[in-house]
Amino acid sequence: MPESVSHNEVSVYIVAMLLCLKCTFCPSLSGVYEEHNGTSRTAGMNGSGPSRLVDPLEDPLPGVGTYEDFNTIDWVREKSKDRDRHREITNKSRQSTVALLHSISDAFSGWLLMLLVGLMSGALAGGIDISAHWMTDVKGGLCLRGFWFNHEHCCWLSNETTFQERDRCPQWQSWAELITGKSEGPFAYIVNYLMYIFWALMFSFLAVILVRAFAPYACGSGIPEIKTILSGFIIRGYLGKWTLIIKTITLVLAVSSGLSLGKEGPLVHVACCCANILCHLFTKYRKNEAKRREVLSAAAAVGVSVAFGAPIGGVLFSLEEVSYYFPLKTLWRSFFAALVAAFTLRSINPFGNSRLVLFYVEFHTPWHLVELAPFILLGIFGGLWGALFIKANIAWCRLRKTTCLGHYPVIEVLVVAALTALLSYPNSYTRMSGSELISELFNDCSLLDSSQLCDTGVDNSLADRPAGPGLYTALWQLALALVFKMMITVITFGMKVPSGLFIPSMAVGAIAGRLLGVGMEQLAYYNHDAVIFKGWCSQGADCITPGLYAMVGAAACLGGVTRMTVSLVVIMFELTGGLEYIVPLMAATMTSKWVADAFGREGIYEAHIRLNGYPFLEPKEEFEHSSLAVDVMRPRRMDPTLAVLTQEGMTVGEVESLVESTHFSGFPVVVSSESQRLVGFVLRRDLLISIDNARKRQDGIVSASQVVFTEHTPPLPPDAPPPLRLRCIMDLSPFTVTDHTPMDITVDIFRKLGLRQCLVTHNGRLLGIITKKDILKHMAQMANRDPDSILFN
């Protein structure tokens, strides 16, 4: 030892070394969207208990244990780390009162977080509903009492509103009245038409410009990406604060523009953004990706709860449709958060009717067993429409990605918005917003109802009545609206603006259902003595409820597009509040799913996940091939040998050269190049951060320093530089399978444990590695699809 080094310095050095061997390496997790240079503590997961820190001059390294963008988290390590954290808190809670209070606050933090997520999401949803309702009405005119009143609220304040013309009052004036002073005539119609197109273009232009300039991730519905993130994928910025702000603003603009889209799907994305941001307030969720995904699963339930006013349906939607890992604890917290969000939205009362949705309905006439036939017919229509829509929309989106069309998103949005406004204005049913259209179609006619759909040849009767001239006009308009909605929704979904699919799909089904319901009503009126109606539908009775057919059709089409079943039925039940209509809904929804599955088992969200190349292992999909692990692993026969690290003998320069010459996300560690006996696994990111930190802060670490993954440092020559010990960042118990393990078992292991990679061995000797991307490529190849469509690792 040099004489210049004092005995005190030597003592400090030895003590630091001893303390280092006793400290636990607790990994910090960059949140889904945290910066790479986080400052929290990190840990490797290994089977022999807590890992040990090696660097004597440094605290646990910032960034070690975090994940790079477009990578998959290690669920096993995250869960193990949370168990270690919880065990440590529990042990300390027995030692002091302060530690006990800390333990109680840690246990309560999850419920507090759910409360905050529910409050924030409910408040944002209420603001979005109020703003979208007002801006939609701005396209038609302004309120003279105050420009901030929408059409309905403006006329509520008027004493001159009648039941027959409840939507007309002197306080609300159209743009033609404001500009020309005339409300009738061709010129007034043209002025209103042009103003409608102007506002539609203005709103859509602002929406696409804001998305393009500030938050590209704010476009679309967000549910495909949410599903992928919940499966363990990292997409930095997708749930960030800028995405939340821009998505909230542009969602209002996009819905108000009149485009064939809805706000219900994007509200799931908004709620998940709220949850991700609020997670940063709690260390337990900020530093653990698996725990954070439990919160995001609950947030998905909150999004559906505020979208439809259906807390129970929201929880079931999260469980059935989007969540990858859904423990019982998450079920309870999801229900609590959804309840808080629904209560918050109800307190805001955005629609002024004490309801959580614009199209809440209550039917009073029971259905008859004979009506199951038309309900099943609506299910068949919904399944056919769902299968057709998915194929057409994916084909259009693929065309958008592979041609110059994708280079001009602003022009595309403006052209579609202009086309939508131009064609929708002449038809009163396409001119109104999607929610208002569904509300009109769900409507159960009353004596004072002025709707064209309730125009019959007999007044003052609630019984089935003959169709009047207004009803015939409405039927023609609805038939044209059905064709228009089916075509325009195909090209609208997937544009660079926030766009949900729930409302357009429900609108298509509601139109078809209302048409069939009116047909059944007229059939019953003119043939009440026929065999199928005799005995339950006498003359003068109210037998058929067309609004019920619209509701069943809406559920059938939404189920055909998304393949939702249980959650969809519960959502529709919560919308109507009637238990007696569950059987028609179940019959139509299951028929829709069976018919759609006959043409392809993927729903629209799974199809978009595959289109974008995300590494998502569908839990519902079965692996039906007889492959073995050796058939899927890398390296293949003609590939270069597997890049590995040896537990001793490699220098820092050699390790850096190996890392720079490859693009792998991690490296197996073996005893030696000759034996290939597996020791552990090291992540590329952890390796680079540790070496870079050692070069900067640890004296004597140079390119010639030996990298050691063993517990004890091997003997070194006297003049050799100090070694770099990295055992602490190595996973000592990587998951392995033998080369003859069937792939269906391997796929189940990946799904149920959430693995990033699995090593393949033969009698303890390392042969290769299987990643989630390798499995997805193999499954695509077996299905005669392009394996290179899987873009991310």
Side-chain angles (χ1 to χ4, degrees):
M1 177 155 314
E3 294 180 358
S4 59
V5 179
S6 67
H7 290 287
N8 287 337
E9 289 174 330
V10 173
S11 302
V12 169
Y13 188 86
I14 293 172
V15 170
M17 290 271 298
L18 293 172
L19 288 174
C20 239
L21 292 173
K22 300 189 72 172
C23 64
T24 306
F25 203 26
C26 297
S28 101
L29 280 205
S30 76
V32 183
Y33 310 105
E34 280 186 73
E35 295 296 325
H36 287 272
N37 57 352
T39 58
S40 43
R41 300 167 86 73
T42 65
M45 196 289 295
N46 56 56
S48 59
S51 311
R52 309 300 182 200
L53 181 65
V54 201
D55 185 353
L57 302 181
E58 190 63 42
D59 286 334
L61 306 182
V64 174
T66 61
Y67 304 97
E68 295 183 352
D69 201 8
F70 299 118
N71 266 275
T72 303
I73 71 169
D74 190 333
W75 284 87
V76 177
R77 181 172 69 173
E78 300 302 296
K79 292 174 189 175
S80 174
K81 185 175 57 177
D82 184 65
R83 282 194 298 269
D84 291 341
R85 183 197 63 81
H86 186 265
R87 191 180 298 115
E88 182 182 358
I89 291 176
T90 303
N91 292 336
K92 286 183 177 179
S93 65
R94 303 188 184 100
Q95 300 172 5
S96 67
T97 305
V98 175
L100 178 62
L101 293 175
H102 175 65
S103 174
I104 294 172
S105 68
D106 181 77
F108 181 70
S109 62
W111 295 99
L112 178 60
L113 178 56
M114 291 297 101
L115 176 67
L116 295 176
V117 170
L119 291 172
M120 186 174 179
S121 301
L124 284 176
I128 289 171
D129 286 335
I130 293 171
S131 304
H133 202 177
W134 173 72
M135 292 179 69
T136 299
D137 288 347
V138 163
K139 293 186 297 182
L142 283 178
C143 183
L144 298 183
R145 288 179 178 271
F147 71 91
W148 55 88
F149 289 117
N150 62 36
H151 193 172
E152 186 178 12
H153 290 173
C154 185
C155 289
W156 276 358
L157 303 173
S158 174
N159 295 324
E160 303 170 51
T161 305
T162 64
F163 278 109
Q164 285 74 25
E165 294 185 331
R166 68 185 70 183
D167 60 338
R168 295 182 64 84
C169 59
Q171 287 75 24
W172 179 268
Q173 292 198 352
S174 66
W175 289 108
E177 291 177 283
L178 291 169
I179 295 173
T180 66
K182 298 180 180 179
S183 61
E184 304 291 340
F187 185 65
Y189 183 84
I190 292 173
V191 170
N192 287 330
Y193 200 164
L194 292 176
M195 289 301 296
Y196 182 89
I197 296 174
F198 167 76
W199 285 114
L201 289 173
M202 175 65 71
F203 292 155
S204 58
F205 176 73
L206 288 175
V208 69
I209 284 295
L210 287 173
V211 168
R212 185 176 174 83
F214 297 103
Y217 283 149
C219 65
S221 75
I223 293 181
E225 286 76 13
I226 296 297
K227 288 188 67 160
T228 309
I229 289 171
L230 289 179
S231 73
F233 196 54
I234 301 284
I235 309 178
R236 296 187 187 279
Y238 199 83
L239 301 179
K241 58 182 181 296
W242 271 112
T243 303
L244 174 63
I245 295 169
I246 298 302
K247 184 119 188 178
T248 303
I249 296 171
T250 55
L251 180 56
V252 174
L253 291 167
V255 171
S256 305
S257 68
L259 288 166
S260 183
L261 47 83
K263 62 181 182 297
E264 281 66 20
L267 279 175
V268 175
H269 188 185
V270 168
C272 286
C273 287
C274 295
N276 182 66
I277 292 168
L278 291 171
C279 277
H280 290 273
L281 302 176
F282 302 88
T283 305
K284 177 167 66 172
Y285 297 100
R286 183 175 68 248
K287 295 184 177 182
N288 193 298
E289 292 288 357
K291 296 293 292 180
R292 185 181 304 212
R293 275 155 179 76
E294 293 179 17
V295 178
L296 295 180
S297 291
V302 170
V304 174
S305 174
V306 295
F308 291 103
I312 302 173
V315 174
L316 292 176
F317 171 81
S318 179
L319 173 62
E320 178 184 5
E321 190 61 27
V322 298
S323 292
Y324 202 83
Y325 173 66
F326 203 83
L328 191 60
K329 179 174 58 179
T330 303
L331 178 70
W332 301 332
R333 290 180 176 174
S334 298
F335 181 72
F336 174 70
L339 189 64
V340 171
F343 175 78
T344 305
L345 186 62
R346 170 65 181 80
S347 303
I348 295 172
N349 194 14
F351 303 111
N353 58 4
S354 300
R355 304 295 183 189
L356 300 183
V357 287
L358 189 59
F359 44 86
Y360 181 92
V361 289
E362 286 182 344
F363 300 124
H364 305 288
T365 306
W367 63 280
H368 195 268
L369 192 62
V370 174
E371 293 181 277
L372 271 181
F375 292 150
I376 291 174
L377 190 63
L378 285 174
I380 294 172
F381 172 79
L384 292 174
W385 152 245
L388 175 65
F389 173 81
I390 291 171
K391 292 185 181 299
N393 180 253
I394 292 300
W396 180 260
C397 290
R398 187 171 285 113
L399 183 70
R400 181 188 287 128
K401 291 183 71 172
T402 56
T403 63
C404 61
L405 179 65
H407 300 304
Y408 305 100
V410 177
I411 295 176
E412 181 193 8
V413 170
L414 290 177
V415 169
V416 174
L419 185 65
T420 304
L422 193 67
L423 295 177
S424 63
Y425 186 82
N427 188 335
S428 60
Y429 292 107
T430 52
R431 188 190 314 168
M432 62 180 67
S433 68
S435 296
E436 290 174 327
L437 173 61
I438 294 172
S439 178
E440 179 81 0
L441 295 169
F442 281 10
N443 181 35
D444 189 13
C445 292
S446 62
L447 291 175
L448 297 174
D449 210 314
S450 59
S451 170
Q452 275 189 313
L453 291 171
C454 300
D455 183 19
T456 63
V458 179
D459 294 328
N460 300 324
S461 173
L462 283 176
D464 289 344
R465 298 163 287 182
L471 182 56
Y472 281 117
T473 302
L475 293 179
W476 278 109
Q477 290 179 333
L478 282 178
L480 293 174
L482 178 62
V483 176
F484 172 72
K485 283 283 185 183
M486 291 173 71
M487 295 177 65
I488 202 69
T489 305
V490 170
I491 62 175
T492 302
F493 186 69
M495 293 195 307
K496 297 302 181 183
V497 291
S499 54
L501 197 57
F502 283 24
I503 290 299
S505 300
M506 291 177 67
V508 169
I511 294 172
R514 189 77 189 204
L515 291 173
L516 181 61
V518 172
M520 287 292 295
E521 183 183 39
Q522 297 307 304
L523 189 65
Y525 177 80
Y526 289 107
N527 300 277
H528 55 80
D529 292 328
V531 176
I532 60 172
F533 298 112
K534 194 173 183 179
W536 67 278
C537 187
S538 57
Q539 188 173 9
D542 188 10
C543 307
I544 305 294
T545 306
L548 173 61
Y549 285 74
M551 186 185 72
V552 172
C557 281
L558 183 55
V561 171
T562 62
R563 310 300 162 85
M564 294 161 55
T565 52
V566 179
S567 57
L568 177 57
V569 171
V570 173
I571 287 171
M572 300 306 291
F573 156 65
E574 291 186 86
L575 286 179
T576 60
L579 273 170
E580 58 187 324
Y581 304 115
I582 280 187
V583 173
L585 288 170
M586 291 174 67
T589 303
M590 285 309 303
T591 304
S592 170
K593 177 176 172 54
W594 288 334
V595 172
D597 282 349
F599 294 91
R601 300 187 65 85
E602 283 184 331
I604 185 64
Y605 302 129
E606 290 79 18
H608 272 269
I609 286 173
R610 184 160 58 83
L611 177 70
N612 293 327
Y614 297 136
F616 182 75
L617 269 176
E618 176 58 57
K620 306 168 190 173
E621 188 177 354
E622 294 291 334
F623 189 88
E624 300 174 349
H625 310 289
S626 58
S627 312
L628 299 177
V630 71
D631 302 323
V632 180
M633 73 174 192
R634 287 180 295 165
R636 307 290 171 81
R637 286 184 178 178
M638 304 303 294
D639 292 346
T641 57
L642 188 65
V644 297
L645 301 172
T646 57
Q647 65 177 356
E648 57 185 64
M650 295 184 71
T651 64
V652 170
E654 290 172 341
V655 172
E656 287 178 328
S657 177
L658 176 65
V659 173
E660 290 174 4
S661 63
T662 59
H663 58 275
F664 306 125
S665 59
F667 302 91
V669 180
V670 295
V671 173
S672 65
S673 301
E674 294 76 23
S675 72
Q676 291 289 307
R677 297 288 178 181
L678 182 63
V679 176
F681 190 85
V682 176
L683 294 178
R684 175 196 190 94
R685 180 177 173 82
D686 294 355
L687 194 62
L688 288 173
I689 291 174
S690 300
I691 293 176
D692 183 62
N693 178 79
R695 279 186 176 276
K696 290 179 180 177
R697 305 193 181 186
Q698 191 172 340
D699 292 337
I701 297 297
V702 293
S703 296
S705 298
Q706 188 176 141
V707 177
V708 178
F709 291 98
T710 55
E711 190 171 355
H712 303 288
T713 306
L716 297 175
D719 56 344
L724 175 60
R725 297 180 57 197
L726 296 180
R727 183 179 175 84
C728 57
I729 65 170
M730 182 173 63
D731 181 358
L732 293 175
S733 59
F735 277 88
T736 61
V737 294
T738 66
D739 50 342
H740 287 92
T741 304
M743 274 307 297
D744 54 347
I745 295 177
T746 306
V747 171
D748 276 344
I749 292 173
F750 269 83
R751 282 177 179 153
K752 293 173 181 176
L753 294 180
L755 300 185
R756 300 181 69 186
Q757 69 278 318
C758 184
L759 301 174
V760 183
T761 62
H762 179 76
N763 293 334
R765 188 173 185 272
L766 179 66
L767 294 183
I769 186 172
I770 299 176
T771 65
K772 184 188 285 188
K773 187 173 182 178
D774 295 327
I775 292 176
L776 289 165
K777 281 190 169 187
H778 179 71
M779 293 171 73
Q781 198 169 9
M782 293 294 101
N784 295 319
R785 299 196 305 263
D786 180 16
D788 292 328
S789 62
I790 312 299
L791 304 178
F792 304 102
N793 190 12

